[in-house]
Structure formats: C-alpha cells, structure tokens
C-alpha cells in the first residue's frame, strides 16, 4: 500500500521577481508522514517544506496527474487568488504591478483554479483525505457538502485562527476531535480502518429485471417513515447542525427483497418517497470476478449498500427483506449493543450483522450501527408483518 501526502505552502509567481507564498512550512504533513511510515510500506511526501520551494502550482498539478498511490492526503496551503498574467503560465519581460496616478499599487488577481477535484476525477479508486481551514461561521452542513463534492472518504478540518484543534470527519457527519499533537496518530488509525473495508464494483449486465416483489409494501413504509425523517432533517440541517448519523444524499434509507437467485434493491440515490418498479435493480447473489452483476436501467447503479445485503442474504437464509435507515431504532427486537461503523457499502458491516443476528426465522431483528443508523432484517414471507413493527418503532438521532 502506498500513501501520497501533499503538503506545505504552494507559491504562485506574480512576475519574474515576486511571488505569493501562503504561510506555513509543512510541518504537520511531515509529522503525518512519519506516523504513516510506521504502518504502511511506502509514503511519498510532495510539496514545499522547511522554507524550500521545489513545487509550484503547475508541479503539484503534474504530480496529481501521475499519481500511483492507493491513498492521498491533500493538505497544501494554496493561494485563493492568482495573478492574472500567470493564468496562461506566461509573463512579459519587465511586466510590473500597476500603479495608478495616486501611487496606489494594484494586482490583477483572479480566483485560483482548484487542484483538489483533480484527484478523484483522474484517479477515482484513490482513498482521498483532504484538509480544510474553515471560517469560524462555516456550518457543518457546508463542510460536508465540500467534502462530498470532493468525493472524499474522510476529511480533516480546523477553524481559521485555531491551529491547535482539528476534527476528522466522515461522510455521515461523524466527527473525532483531535489536538494538533495527536492528530497524526488518530488519523492513521482511521485511515487504516478504511483500508480494511471490503468494496465491490458493480457491472451492468441487462436492462430488464423481474417483477419487483413488495413494491406497494415498500412504498407504504416509505410514506409512513417520511415525516419522521423530514422533521429531523429540517430541524438539524436548517439550523446548521448535523445529527451525525445520516446523509442528505440518502435520506430515506435503502430497501431490498430476496428474489430468485439474488435480490432486488433500490437504485443509488433515488428518492424513496414515491417508489416504482423503475426505482429498483436486480443484483445476482453470486459475485463475478469479484464484482456485483446487476440488471435494470443502464444509467442506474445498485444502492451503495448492495454488497452488504448480498452477504446477509447468502449467509442468513431466513432473511426475506432488509431495510437500512439513517436513524437509530428502539424496540424489544433491537440488538442491545451498537455495531462497529464501516464505510458505506463495505461488506465488513454484513459480517458484523451476521455474527450477532439470530440464525432462525424472525419477523424482525434490528441492529444499530455506531454513528450510522439501523439495519433491519425481516423474515416473514409476507414482509408486511416486519415492516409494520418497524414503522411503529421509535426513532432517535442518538441511541
């Protein structure tokens, strides 16, 4: 496994003499690199450190293009604005800062191009961990949106003016507070946890799917659940807070049902408030070259949790349907301990469920996953019994 860490201030040439140089010397990036070298085979450090400038904006851009790493930690100090004449990487001999008749000097500055989006655009399989210095009034929702737009698995942020405190953030809004001193060790632990996640690719093999069973039951359940989910979303997101265990990209959860030699499951990022046959795909219960094979609309993919559902159906024959939601469930049929949180869609979560779930028929069995939500296994042939119990359950942000 190889990790590349980008760090340090990245200078920007204004003319042949002058440069814009953000503050910092890249010491934190060096400390993180030292910690990671204790855990992985290869750590590459790219940027400018201890006042030595070997990489400008263009050099960092080229380094991103030629990446060959599994993990990228991106934390360089970049100028927010660049001098106009540098946008085309050219300067005229003798070109100077303009001075008006009153002796006031001005620079023709434009907003800097963004390097971070290039990482996942050019290398979609990379585990990306970006750093951000957030304004004091920037809300958790806005930080999460920035993180999701970057397609980052984890992120680290601090607040402007407070360089001694950091927060490690995942895509569900779970935070780990760190001091500057213990950040390298805590971050290494979280990254290594992510690397143990078992992921599966999805391959489209057919446009047609069998008639989806229980669509009306799923639709009735989603309609009944929608008010509870909506109220929590509006109350927390609207105020700038974040509950810490659900994402605004998949608000109403995921539903699936056993069928034939596999299962049908809601497609990725579909609204669950008005489900139809077209909102499902069929997933084969057997892996093919380590990938999921699915049938349905060519422009859709199975829910990100499809790998988890596949393993549960394979290992627990009594399970007829699975519901996953981003709140915590309370009831007598709920397993008393929270399960370990894994990245969304990691098969590891399925093995945690299987280890605790009953091995014989149950109408309903539920487990809460730390910082994530609930997963409900329904065993009755007519799944309405289990869905009814689930619909009448109590739900909360914190368990």
């Amino acid at each position: 496994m190889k990790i590349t860490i980008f760090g340090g201030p990245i200078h920007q040439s204004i003319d042949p003499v002058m440069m814009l140089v953000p503050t910092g010397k890249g010491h934190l990036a060096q400390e993180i690199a030292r910690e990671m070298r204790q855990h992985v085979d290869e750590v590459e450090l790219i940027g400018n450190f201890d006042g030595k400038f070997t990489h400008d904006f263009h050099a960092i851009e080229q380094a991103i293009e030629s990446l060959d790493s599994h993990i990228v930690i991106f934390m360089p100090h970049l100028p927010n604005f660049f001098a106009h004449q540098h946008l085309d990487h050219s300067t005229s001999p003798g070109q100077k800062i303009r001075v008006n008749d009153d002796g006031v000097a001005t620079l023709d500055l434009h907003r800097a191009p963004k390097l971070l989006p290039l990482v996942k655009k050019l290398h979609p399989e990379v585990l990306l961990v970006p750093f951000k210095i957030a304004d004091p009034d920037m809300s958790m929702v806005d930080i999460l949106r920035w993180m999701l737009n970057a397609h980052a698995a984890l992120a680290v942020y601090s607040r402007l003016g407070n360089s001694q405190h950091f927060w490690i953030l995942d895509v569900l809004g779970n935070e780990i507070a760190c001091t500057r001193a213990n950040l390298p060790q805590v971050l290494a632990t979280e990254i290594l946890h992510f690397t143990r996640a078992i992921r599966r690719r999805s391959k489209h093999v057919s446009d047609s799917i069998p008639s989806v069973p229980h669509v009306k039951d799923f639709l009735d359940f989603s309609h009944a659940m929608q008010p509870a989910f909506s109220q929590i979303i509006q109350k927390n997101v609207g105020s700038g807070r974040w509950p810490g265990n659900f994402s605004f990209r998949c608000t109403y959860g995921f539903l699936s049902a056993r069928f034939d030699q596999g299962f049908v499951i809601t497609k990725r990022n579909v609204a669950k408030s008005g489900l139809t046959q077209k909102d499902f795909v069929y997933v084969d219960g057997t892996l093919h070259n380590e990938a999921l094979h699915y049938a349905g609309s060519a422009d859709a993919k199975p829910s990100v949790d499809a790998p988890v559902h596949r393993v549960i159906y394979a290992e627990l024959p009594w399970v007829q349907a699975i519901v996953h939601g981003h709140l915590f469930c309370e009831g007598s049929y709920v397993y008393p301990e929270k399960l370990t949180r894994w990245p969304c869609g990691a098969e590891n979560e399925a093995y945690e469920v299987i280890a605790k779930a009953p091995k014989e028929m149950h109408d309903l069995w539920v487990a809460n996953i730390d910082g994530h939500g609930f997963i409900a296994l329904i065993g009755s042939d007519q799944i309405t019994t289990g869905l009814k119990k689930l619909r009448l359950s109590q739900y909360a942000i914190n368990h």
Side-chain angles (χ1 to χ4, degrees):
M1 184 167 54
K2 180 180 178 181
I3 295 178
T4 296
I5 302 174
F6 291 90
I10 308 302
H11 72 264
Q12 173 59 48
S13 298
I14 296 174
D15 61 23
V17 176
M18 302 185 66
M19 291 190 305
L20 288 173
V21 182
T23 59
K25 295 185 181 297
H27 290 166
L28 183 57
Q30 292 172 298
E31 292 167 18
I32 291 173
R34 282 194 290 271
E35 177 65 34
M36 295 307 305
R37 287 190 179 105
Q38 300 182 43
H39 305 283
V40 301
D41 297 329
E42 187 175 358
V43 177
E44 178 183 36
L45 196 57
I46 297 176
N48 301 310
F49 307 97
D50 300 322
K52 300 175 183 177
F53 286 93
T54 58
H55 288 75
D56 61 8
F57 181 93
H58 188 55
I60 295 293
E61 189 175 29
Q62 289 181 320
I64 291 174
E65 291 173 357
S66 60
L67 272 176
D68 62 348
S69 292
H70 305 91
I71 301 167
V72 171
I73 302 175
F74 194 85
M75 52 188 301
H77 302 277
L78 290 163
N80 290 324
F81 295 91
F82 284 175
H84 172 70
Q85 61 262 37
H86 190 73
L87 291 179
D88 59 3
H89 303 289
S90 65
T91 57
S92 302
Q95 189 172 23
K96 300 296 182 182
I97 299 174
R98 293 191 302 275
V99 181
N100 64 19
D101 293 338
D102 298 326
V104 177
T106 60
L107 281 173
D108 187 11
L109 296 177
H110 285 236
R111 189 171 295 278
K114 300 298 184 184
L115 287 175
L116 180 60
L118 288 178
V119 177
K120 293 292 283 189
K121 181 180 179 180
L122 299 176
H123 312 280
E125 299 301 319
V126 158
L127 175 67
L128 174 61
V129 185
F131 275 57
K132 184 175 185 61
I133 301 175
D135 291 332
D137 59 350
M138 189 175 188
S139 71
M140 171 64 74
V141 176
D142 288 333
I143 296 173
L144 270 167
R145 286 197 174 103
W146 162 80
M147 180 180 172
L148 293 170
N149 287 336
H151 302 285
L154 292 170
V156 181
Y157 76 92
S158 59
R159 295 290 182 179
L160 187 64
N162 184 355
S163 61
Q164 297 302 310
H165 292 87
F166 294 82
W167 289 265
I168 301 172
L169 184 68
D170 70 12
V171 293
L172 292 170
N174 297 292
E175 289 184 307
I176 301 175
C178 306
T179 64
R180 190 190 185 288
N182 70 3
L183 174 62
Q185 182 179 8
V186 178
L187 181 60
T189 299
E190 288 302 301
I191 289 175
L192 293 172
H193 180 69
F194 262 67
T195 63
R196 291 193 292 271
I198 302 170
R199 301 285 201 165
R200 298 295 178 192
R201 294 176 292 106
S202 298
K203 181 178 179 181
H204 182 255
V205 294
S206 173
D207 291 332
S208 61
I209 65 171
S211 179
V212 178
H214 314 300
V215 170
K216 184 179 184 302
D217 295 328
F218 284 150
L219 183 58
D220 290 344
F221 174 79
S222 292
H223 281 160
M225 295 300 297
Q226 186 175 347
F229 281 78
S230 297
Q231 288 173 13
I232 293 175
I233 292 168
Q234 292 169 6
K235 180 179 178 181
N236 291 278
V237 176
S239 65
R241 292 180 61 249
W242 198 252
N245 55 7
F246 69 84
S247 164
F248 48 74
R249 294 193 305 173
C250 43
T251 311
Y252 302 122
F254 309 116
L255 310 107
S256 72
R258 186 188 292 274
F259 190 85
D260 196 17
Q261 300 301 307
F263 58 98
V264 290
I265 190 168
T266 45
K267 63 185 183 182
R268 193 168 302 183
N269 294 336
V270 67
K272 310 303 191 300
S273 55
L275 292 173
T276 69
Q277 177 93 10
K278 295 180 180 180
D279 294 322
F280 289 82
V281 297
Y282 172 78
V283 179
D284 193 335
T286 301
L287 291 177
H288 301 267
N289 294 322
E290 301 303 312
L292 296 178
H293 277 194
Y294 72 96
S297 175
D299 61 353
K301 285 187 174 183
S303 160
V304 69
D305 266 8
V308 177
H309 292 216
R310 186 196 70 84
V311 173
I312 292 174
Y313 285 126
E315 298 294 327
L316 296 176
W318 66 267
V319 177
Q320 299 302 311
I322 300 172
V323 178
H324 165 52
H326 291 120
L327 294 173
F328 290 128
C329 183
E330 299 175 354
S332 59
Y333 36 79
V334 177
Y335 185 72
E337 301 173 10
K338 284 188 286 187
L339 306 186
T340 302
R341 179 174 71 254
W342 288 92
C344 292
E347 275 188 12
N348 312 63
E349 184 176 288
Y351 297 113
E352 296 255 348
V353 171
I354 292 164
K356 306 298 183 183
K359 304 303 183 284
E360 298 178 353
M361 172 75 73
H362 271 62
D363 286 338
L364 177 66
W365 182 87
V366 179
N368 289 309
I369 302 162
D370 183 31
H372 192 170
F374 73 87
I375 185 165
L377 312 184
I378 298 172
S380 52
D381 290 333
Q382 296 298 319
I383 68 168
T384 51
T385 302
L387 285 177
K388 183 177 180 180
K389 287 183 178 180
L390 197 58
R391 186 171 63 187
L392 297 176
S393 301
Q394 297 294 314
Y395 292 93
I397 294 174
N398 297 309
H399 178 60

